[in-house]
Amino acid sequence: MSPRVLRMHAILTTAGFYSLLPLLFGVQELVPKMCVLLIWTLCSLWLMRAKVSAWACLTRVERVYISGFGLLFVATELIPWVFGRLEFLPLALVSVYSALGITFAWINLAYDFITAP
């Protein structure tokens, strides 16, 4: 696999996995949710290092995007009182942020497919 495909894999798996976390909405599920996300992301990046250093092959924008999931987690899970009466806003933020990464990866992979020799 090329480093570009590995980069898109890192973005797709992180965004796709994180987008499923709102299905676990109870307060008692906060710590397991945080641990599972962290373990999944670290294991995914660690397993990809067999080919190349996954974190090193990511561009700066992609690193900021993947790191942004940590900030999104804090904003939507740890300090939900920030949103006040707008109870739907944390879910909307997760959906939109995940969709941006998935769309970015899809466009990059489609471009690779179209331009492949």
Side-chain angles (χ1 to χ4, degrees):
M1 272 202 272
S2 72
R4 185 175 174 103
V5 172
L6 290 174
R7 287 178 22 225
M8 295 307 111
H9 172 75
I11 291 171
L12 277 173
T13 57
T14 304
F17 193 82
Y18 191 87
S19 67
L20 294 175
L21 292 182
L23 296 174
L24 303 171
F25 53 86
V27 176
Q28 69 276 14
E29 297 158 339
L30 182 64
V31 174
K33 189 177 358 181
M34 185 171 53
C35 291
V36 166
L37 176 66
L38 189 61
I39 290 169
W40 171 258
T41 303
L42 292 176
C43 285
S44 177
L45 292 174
W46 183 75
L47 289 172
M48 285 176 20
R49 77 172 170 72
K51 275 288 199 189
V52 293
S53 174
W55 192 252
C57 80
L58 293 172
T59 64
R60 183 176 298 185
V61 172
E62 293 163 351
R63 285 186 206 146
V64 168
Y65 175 76
I66 289 177
S67 300
F69 280 107
L71 182 62
L72 184 63
F73 184 82
V74 169
T76 58
E77 299 291 336
L78 301 180
I79 52 172
W81 48 267
V82 170
F83 302 108
R85 291 182 41 215
L86 302 173
E87 296 174 3
F88 66 91
L89 196 54
L91 180 59
L93 286 174
V94 169
S95 297
V96 169
Y97 195 72
S98 297
L100 286 174
I102 291 169
T103 303
F104 172 77
W106 187 85
I107 289 171
N108 275 293
L109 290 172
Y111 176 79
D112 281 353
F113 179 75
I114 291 170
T115 59

